[in-house]
Amino acid sequence: MPDIVLASKSKVRKNILEENKISCLVKPSNVDEEPVKISLLKEGASPEIISKNLAELKANKVSQKMNEDLVLGADSVI
């Protein structure tokens, strides 16, 4: 059984976890991020707030199907 479920298809994030001895199961959330970004930008949200909201949205979506597991959502600000 993995330590966590990673709600992302990012190979970089998976590698970071594995390099730190954290086993994970990858379950991409498949969230359509663009409408969320557009809505938050209209509200004047900063890139950091948008990233935090997207990470939470991804984790929540995967958690709905895997509610007994610890789910990690992540997003990047570039």
Side-chain angles (χ1 to χ4, degrees), residues 4 11 30 39 56 61-62 67 70-71 75:
I4 64 168
K11 292 178 183 176
N30 298 318
S39 175
E56 183 176 354
K61 185 170 181 191
V62 172
N67 59 1
L70 177 62
V71 178
D75 195 70

Side-chain angles (χ1 to χ4, degrees), residues 8-50:
S8 170
K9 55 188 167 198
S10 167
K11 292 178 183 176
V12 172
R13 288 186 186 97
K14 183 177 189 293
N15 287 340
I16 290 169
L17 292 171
E18 290 176 344
E19 287 170 2
N20 287 282
K21 311 280 189 268
I22 301 170
S23 64
C24 66
L25 172 65
V26 174
K27 286 286 184 184
S29 65
N30 298 318
V31 167
D32 185 2
E33 297 181 22
E34 204 56 34
V36 177
K37 289 179 189 177
I38 291 169
S39 175
L40 290 169
L41 284 170
K42 284 181 183 177
E43 294 177 17
S46 68
E48 292 83 6
I49 295 296
I50 294 170

